[in-house]
Amino acid sequence: MIRTSKQRMTCGSDEHTVHRRLFLQGSLAASAASVASFNGLFSIPALAEETKRQGKRCILLWLCGAPSQFEMWDPKPGTATGGPFGAIQTNLPGVQISSLMPKCATMMDKLAVIRSMSTKPSEHFQGIDALTRGDGPRPPFTRPILGSVIAKQLGQLDSPVPQFVLLDPCPEGNEFKAFKAGNWAGWLGAEYGPVRAGGDYGIPNIEKLDSITDADHADREALRRFFSKKYELDQKSNAAASHNAAFERVQGLMSCAPLFDMDSLPEDDRQRYGGGAFAQHALQARHLIENGSTFVMVANGMPWDNHVYQHEMHQMLVPELDNVLYQLVNDLEERGMLDDTLVIAMGEFGRTPWMNEARGRDHYPNAWSLAMAGGGIRGGVVHGATDPLGFEVVEGKVDNRNLFATIFTALGVDPHDEYDLPGLPTFHRVEEDAAPILEVLA
């Protein structure tokens, strides 16, 4: 343990934007929002500044498919498992990371790296489930995803800005696509699910018709809200409640749609982050957090699942992540937001120390790495260690429960509190009193 462009790249899918069908799918697991004017709200400087200061926030860079620890945070230079890229010194004495990450090497004093993750699921769907919800399944109950919990605990439901956003430019992605089709908010309810956006970054089909005046539009909405709410209460209908939550979300999004317009951001920012879809969405995540979102998850299909040509693929993917982390952490710091914004970069497990016959690395949950920075996290810490070849954790072993206890603690949320679920079994945010990783907490 050591203390110390305007070019838009997509994945080829037809579903790059939030059209009505895709939006409503996500919105049935989405939070309610007010119909206050976004432009009017944030044109008041004092209110805008206060909104940006309130509470903790989180950006999750979800590296779906599972990146290799050997080509990132835990290189093994000169060994049979280390790969061809070698390692470089960082600004922490004695600490090396992959040579594919030169920018992160200059700011390791701002990062906390965990090299001793050891988890159980070895297949993507189960791994994604455990590492985004914090625990394995307990049928028939669905544990809410991290973003839903944080939106409930720290979000502002009366804000027109979505509190939990999934920026997802590639709706495909094998097991990740199947995972996204499930219930994200679990027992917390529809209002705490994510708004999904991606692709061309904008949200279409949300402007009212020119033939309808503002007054008529407001009158129609008041009438709809009255009868919908009356039906929901009279029938005690969860389906109606979800429908109403989705409709309110649409109303809120109509007022804050400019937040999803990447063309409105400075061109030099877009150039700094890079032209790839993942990089541009990471910039959009920063923009959303700046303007009132509480939890933003950035994903991009499953590009890290490199069973074939591992080194060639990581040679493209890792430098992009290196730059994204560097720009994001430094931007947040320059804006005075890093102390209140937790940044996490991780996937669902790691990759094997050995190469397969297709020159790829396969799934490996036994010993892997991730990185965090910002709100509640102490920079300049490398927790845990693996053996010289990276087969096993030899120091500071932690799992998904320890990780989630750390994340909740960093954000000021009690990790061991019980969920209020009358008539249901007892669930905690983190089960079995699993301890946070104290070394990485500020």
Side-chain angles (χ1 to χ4, degrees):
M1 294 178 289
I2 305 170
R3 291 186 191 278
T4 49
S5 106
K6 289 193 179 180
Q7 177 187 11
R8 291 173 177 171
M9 298 177 63
T10 57
C11 64
S13 166
D14 293 331
E15 293 186 84
H16 288 307
T17 59
V18 181
H19 48 72
R20 283 177 175 167
R21 176 177 60 80
L22 184 59
F23 171 74
L24 288 174
Q25 286 176 355
S27 291
L28 288 178
S31 66
S34 78
V35 295
S37 167
F38 172 82
N39 290 325
L41 179 68
F42 290 97
S43 65
I44 305 171
L47 183 54
E49 189 60 33
E50 178 60 26
T51 299
K52 294 176 186 181
R53 279 202 305 266
Q54 289 183 50
K56 298 281 183 124
R57 299 163 287 257
C58 183
I59 296 174
L60 171 58
L61 302 176
W62 181 247
L63 312 180
C64 198
S68 167
Q69 64 277 18
F70 297 97
E71 279 68 58
M72 292 176 61
W73 306 114
D74 193 13
K76 303 293 183 182
T79 70
T81 61
F85 300 114
I88 55 175
Q89 294 293 331
T90 71
N91 66 350
L92 294 181
V95 176
Q96 294 184 328
I97 60 175
S98 170
S99 63
L100 296 175
M101 307 189 79
K103 291 186 176 180
C104 282
T106 68
M107 64 165 198
M108 279 291 288
D109 59 318
K110 300 176 185 176
L111 303 178
V113 170
I114 300 172
R115 286 178 170 170
S116 53
M117 289 295 298
S118 184
T119 50
K120 292 181 180 179
S122 60
E123 298 301 324
H124 290 294
F125 191 97
Q126 291 80 6
I128 295 167
D129 204 53
L131 269 299
T132 57
R133 301 184 192 274
D135 219 314
R138 190 172 160 187
F141 309 103
T142 301
R143 180 175 291 273
I145 201 169
L146 177 63
S148 296
V149 180
I150 298 305
K152 182 179 190 302
Q153 293 300 310
L154 304 179
Q156 305 170 60
L157 278 184
D158 59 348
S159 170
V161 182
Q163 295 302 287
F164 177 14
V165 180
L166 168 63
L167 297 178
D168 180 32
C170 184
E172 302 302 320
N174 304 325
E175 288 89 344
F176 189 43
K177 180 180 180 181
F179 178 81
K180 288 182 292 187
N183 183 351
W184 283 46
W187 56 65
L188 292 183
E191 62 267 35
Y192 296 108
V195 162
R196 287 177 58 185
D200 287 332
Y201 316 113
I203 300 182
N205 305 324
I206 59 173
E207 295 183 3
K208 69 177 180 62
L209 297 175
D210 292 336
S211 58
I212 302 176
T213 67
D214 289 342
D216 286 344
H217 184 77
D219 287 345
R220 290 183 181 189
E221 168 53 19
L223 190 63
R224 183 212 63 81
R225 181 182 290 115
F226 172 79
F227 282 113
S228 294
K229 194 65 177 178
K230 185 176 188 303
Y231 179 85
E232 174 189 334
L233 296 176
D234 289 349
Q235 302 297 320
K236 296 181 174 58
S237 170
N238 290 332
S242 292
H243 174 80
N244 288 335
F247 208 100
E248 294 293 342
R249 175 66 64 83
V250 174
Q251 289 281 27
L253 281 173
M254 289 176 70
S255 65
C256 68
L259 280 179
F260 294 88
D261 179 13
M262 290 295 294
D263 289 332
S264 67
L265 293 178
E267 182 64 23
D268 61 344
D269 281 359
R270 300 182 66 185
Q271 292 291 336
R272 283 191 297 110
Y273 275 73
F278 181 78
Q280 290 289 287
H281 283 71
L283 172 59
Q284 189 179 25
R286 188 208 77 191
H287 185 50
L288 286 164
I289 289 292
E290 283 183 284
N291 286 284
S293 289
T294 298
F295 190 100
V296 183
M297 179 177 179
V298 185
N300 191 26
M302 289 182 65
W304 296 90
D305 190 24
N306 299 157
H307 293 279
V308 177
Y309 298 127
Q310 148 79 28
H311 298 322
E312 290 83 349
M313 293 299 296
H314 270 55
Q315 194 169 11
M316 293 186 291
L317 292 167
V318 178
E320 180 183 46
L321 176 65
D322 178 53
N323 182 59
V324 164
L325 274 171
Y326 178 83
Q327 303 298 343
L328 183 58
V329 169
N330 283 306
D331 279 0
L332 292 170
E333 185 174 50
E334 289 175 4
R335 286 162 170 76
M337 298 175 61
L338 186 59
D339 287 346
D340 292 322
T341 306
L342 174 61
V343 179
I344 309 167
M346 70 173 183
E348 59 267 40
F349 36 68
R351 312 302 294 193
T352 53
W354 58 88
M355 304 292 289
N356 61 29
E357 293 181 353
R359 290 176 36 218
R361 296 190 191 269
D362 297 320
H363 306 170
Y364 198 70
N366 298 26
W368 55 282
S369 304
L370 60 85
M372 297 188 287
I377 294 298
R378 177 185 295 134
V381 175
V382 178
H383 174 84
T386 55
D387 66 67
L389 294 178
F391 278 82
E392 300 293 339
V393 174
V394 295
E395 181 182 343
K397 181 182 288 188
V398 291
D399 62 11
N400 45 286
R401 288 178 174 174
N402 301 120
L403 174 64
F404 269 61
T406 305
I407 292 170
F408 286 133
T409 302
L411 293 172
V413 175
D414 184 350
H416 303 124
D417 198 15
E418 292 183 15
Y419 287 98
D420 183 15
L421 301 171
L424 296 182
T426 298
F427 288 87
H428 301 83
R429 292 196 190 104
V430 176
E431 303 296 348
E432 303 294 336
D433 290 323
I437 308 168
L438 296 178
E439 185 187 14
V440 305
L441 292 172

